[in-house]
Amino acid sequence: MALPGIAIPDQAAAPKLQVTNLGVVFQGNDKTIAALDNINLEISDGEFVCLVGPSGCGKSTLLNAMGGFLSPTSGSVSIDGELVSGPDSRRILVFQEHGVFPWLTVEGNIGFGLAKLSRSERAQRIAHYVELVQLQGFERSYPSDLSGGMKQRLQVARALAVNPDVLFLDEPFGALDSITRVMMRGELLRIWQAERRTILCVTHDIDEAVQLADRVVVLSSRPARIQNVLTIDIPHPRNISSPRYLTLRDELLKMIGLAYEI
Amino acid sequence: MRFPVWLRPVLFILALLALWEIAIDLHPGQLMPGPVAAFAAIGELLQHGLLLKHVVASLFRVTWGFLLACVTAIPLGLVLGWYRRGERAFNPLVQLFRPISPLAWIPIAILWFGIGDLSSIFLIFVGSFFPLLVTAISAVHNIPEVYINAGRNFGLSSVDFFVRVIYPAVVPQLLVGMRITLGIAWLVVVAAEMIAVNSGLGFLIVDARNAGNRYDLVVAGMIVIGVIGLLLDLGMRALERVKSFQWTNQEN
């Protein structure tokens, strides 16, 4: 069900998000560190893309640059043809943990970016996202009374509530225990299918990438370059013991440079 | 035998009081009055209506001095904490003034404000200002970056960002700083009243000694100071426990 004021994305031919020759170099006191090197990436509207790569390779840097939190040293990021030059509520970053505001209730967090809406519109929007992330009954609760998984669902709801063009997830389930993580994957998939936003998700979890993504972008170690792109051509719901799934998973492990036998 | 948790400190204090009384009875020098005499003195003060008068006088000064310090030091500290350049400029001055005991200001206070409420209020203000300023500055520095990034992400104006992210994010730390500073203010008021005024609990203590070595009244004054200090602390702690302490929440 679409709410008034939320545009249903149409499949346009032009890419939603375009990264062109993106490079980021950090200037330290005595040395310079190249974090990203010549990244080129096109993501179409409504696509779910996962970014994987060795830890410390610059995945989060890439996400920060795409979100406008970091100005690139070279190259550019544009969304819908418009250059990204700073943080903006049209693209929301969901952080690994502690991203929800502890001084606001569930309702307050979801409504955080909705100050410009009228009271009734805001209430309607909040109710919609409370339901979407299944936090009914917790509207007046503070994050300290929620579990880790609920907090991350709340963060996703707060992000989606402002109707962003693109959602950036930075290891959103990295701090959760493995059972909760698996459940959250299903939740995220359900939310994505219901809302059809463009999602870019950094993860260090191979299974997460293969289960969620339409495409998996594999980054090299620092400075990060795009090493490989793997298209996951399995329709949802994905059978995680199907031969195709296992083949793709092995392929991804090989791309990352990990033997699939331990 | 098991006592309820709240009863244990009460019993412990009663035992100490009993020991104190016994010790005084065994050595009837004039080193210190016993608790019975001290509590009798509190009763005497209550009867004459003096206790309430002195307590109100002290609390009045602390309230004004502390509030003035809060409304000046906290906003200044938040701004300095956010704009690091300003903090770098201010920091040497703060570090220079901070170690000066508020009591060292007594002559200046009397010179500027004469004998009376104003000079005690000024002394409490000086004693509270720097701890609050330092608390506010470090509270801003300690805001987790993720809140700042999450706040920036929603494209707030500077004012909105301050009101809806910075301020609520620092409130818990500010409350702790305010509680500790209120304790300092309560220390300072007693000292200030010993010199600069003729009412209040500090005055009561000095006056009791000067006017006839009434050490029972001195100890009575000390007990009252301790109890009120404890109550102030408990009050601030209760405030810290309020989950949504006055969060300026425009969403609801």
Side-chain angles (χ1 to χ4, degrees):
Chain A
M1 188 193 83
L3 279 172
I6 298 180
I8 298 161
D10 51 329
Q11 296 293 325
K16 185 78 183 169
L17 184 141
Q18 183 147 29
V19 179
T20 317
N21 303 328
L22 185 72
V24 170
V25 177
F26 290 117
Q27 290 287 351
N29 282 331
D30 46 356
K31 56 180 177 182
T32 57
I33 299 162
L36 302 177
D37 183 32
N38 199 28
I39 305 273
N40 285 289
L41 189 61
E42 281 186 3
I43 294 167
S44 52
D45 201 4
E47 197 178 9
F48 197 133
V49 173
C50 276
L51 288 170
V52 298
S55 62
C57 76
K59 299 187 292 280
S60 294
T61 306
L62 178 55
L63 222 51
N64 280 320
M66 288 193 285
F69 283 94
L70 192 77
S71 18
T73 314
S74 59
S76 67
V77 179
S78 58
I79 292 176
D80 287 330
E82 197 182 322
L83 216 60
V84 170
S85 59
D88 191 311
S89 59
R90 284 174 298 176
R91 39 186 182 270
I92 299 285
L93 232 152
V94 170
F95 303 92
Q96 187 164 356
E97 55 178 331
H98 307 309
V100 293
F101 298 123
W103 55 85
L104 295 176
T105 59
V106 165
E107 283 182 331
N109 266 289
I110 297 178
F112 185 82
L114 306 177
K116 289 192 182 81
L117 296 189
S118 76
R119 220 185 166 76
S120 63
E121 268 183 304
R122 189 162 62 224
Q124 198 185 4
R125 195 75 76 88
I126 290 170
H128 173 82
Y129 285 101
V130 163
E131 202 189 321
L132 183 73
V133 300
Q134 297 184 342
L135 285 173
Q136 299 101 316
F138 292 94
E139 289 89 342
R140 300 283 155 88
S141 302
Y142 284 89
S144 54
D145 293 331
L146 305 180
S147 69
M150 288 160 94
K151 278 186 228 180
Q152 287 308 75
R153 296 208 303 263
L154 175 58
Q155 225 196 132
V156 170
R158 182 184 67 187
L160 288 172
V162 297
N163 194 19
D165 294 328
V166 185
L167 205 59
F168 296 113
L169 310 174
D170 191 0
E171 298 189 17
F173 312 138
L176 303 177
D177 64 86
S178 59
I179 293 172
T180 312
R181 207 182 306 162
V182 171
M183 282 163 41
M184 287 295 290
R185 269 177 224 158
E187 286 290 294
L188 181 61
L189 212 52
R190 185 180 59 75
I191 292 167
W192 174 66
Q193 286 170 334
E195 301 270 321
R196 278 290 158 186
R197 299 299 162 79
T198 310
I199 295 184
L200 221 97
C201 177
V202 162
T203 178
H204 54 226
D205 189 318
I206 302 305
D207 288 295
E208 199 161 283
V210 184
Q211 284 167 29
L212 293 175
D214 296 325
R215 276 192 300 159
V216 181
V217 174
V218 182
L219 297 175
S220 69
S221 58
R222 206 164 61 197
R225 296 186 186 88
I226 292 182
Q227 195 180 303
N228 259 307
V229 177
L230 181 69
T231 303
I232 313 286
D233 52 0
I234 317 172
H236 293 288
R238 289 176 181 168
N239 178 352
I240 59 168
S241 34
S242 70
R244 183 69 190 144
Y245 176 89
L246 295 172
T247 310
L248 285 168
R249 188 179 177 279
D250 284 348
E251 214 165 302
L252 185 58
L253 280 170
K254 257 186 276 180
M255 285 175 177
I256 293 167
L258 292 173
Y260 44 92
E261 284 171 356
I262 293 173
Chain B
M1 192 174 138
R2 289 188 59 85
F3 301 109
V5 175
W6 64 269
L7 199 60
R8 284 179 210 172
V10 174
L11 287 176
F12 183 64
I13 289 169
L14 285 177
L16 277 182
L17 287 174
L19 275 177
W20 176 13
E21 188 62 41
I22 291 165
I24 297 293
D25 285 348
L26 288 178
H27 304 276
Q30 272 306 309
L31 283 176
M32 209 181 173
V36 172
F39 283 104
I42 293 179
E44 189 187 327
L45 288 171
L46 271 171
Q47 256 179 356
H48 291 93
L50 285 172
L51 189 64
L52 195 65
K53 180 192 150 211
H54 289 308
V55 167
V56 168
S58 295
L59 283 177
F60 170 80
R61 290 168 193 137
V62 165
T63 307
W64 278 108
F66 181 69
L67 276 185
L68 279 175
C70 283
V71 298
T72 49
I74 291 174
L76 180 65
L78 294 183
V79 171
L80 289 183
W82 186 248
Y83 298 103
R84 301 256 172 162
R85 276 185 204 160
E87 192 218 333
R88 270 183 222 120
F90 252 85
N91 195 39
L93 208 61
V94 174
Q95 297 308 334
L96 184 74
F97 272 96
R98 209 160 66 106
I100 301 175
S101 160
L103 305 185
W105 287 87
I106 287 177
I108 306 276
I110 293 175
L111 179 68
W112 288 352
F113 302 104
I115 303 283
D117 281 341
L118 264 184
S119 33
S120 333
I121 290 172
F122 171 75
L123 290 170
I124 293 157
F125 170 81
V126 170
S128 310
F129 183 85
F130 291 103
L132 286 173
L133 184 70
V134 173
T135 301
I137 291 174
S138 69
V140 175
H141 291 179
N142 290 339
I143 300 175
E145 209 184 339
V146 64
Y147 297 155
I148 291 170
N149 284 338
R152 282 173 68 201
N153 209 167
F154 288 91
L156 304 181
S157 69
S158 308
V159 174
D160 270 356
F161 189 72
F162 228 87
V163 173
R164 298 179 61 201
V165 180
I166 306 280
Y167 169 69
V170 296
V171 162
Q173 281 189 72
L174 281 186
L175 282 177
V176 174
M178 283 166 72
R179 175 165 59 80
I180 292 163
T181 307
L182 189 58
I184 296 173
W186 191 239
L187 288 177
V188 172
V189 72
V190 173
E193 285 168 347
M194 288 187 168
I195 293 143
V197 284
N198 47 27
S199 65
L201 292 166
F203 171 77
L204 168 71
I205 287 174
V206 174
D207 192 47
R209 195 195 69 106
N210 289 345
N213 286 349
R214 286 287 307 275
Y215 283 99
D216 53 339
L217 286 176
V218 171
V219 175
M222 289 168 70
I223 292 172
V224 172
I225 289 166
V227 169
I228 292 176
L230 178 71
L231 291 179
L232 289 177
D233 196 69
L234 287 178
M236 289 300 290
R237 276 180 200 274
L239 222 52
E240 282 168 36
R241 276 195 299 270
V242 177
K243 221 177 208 170
S244 61
F245 174 77
Q246 299 287 319
W247 307 116
T248 36
N249 177 2
Q250 290 129 0
E251 275 76 36
N252 297 319

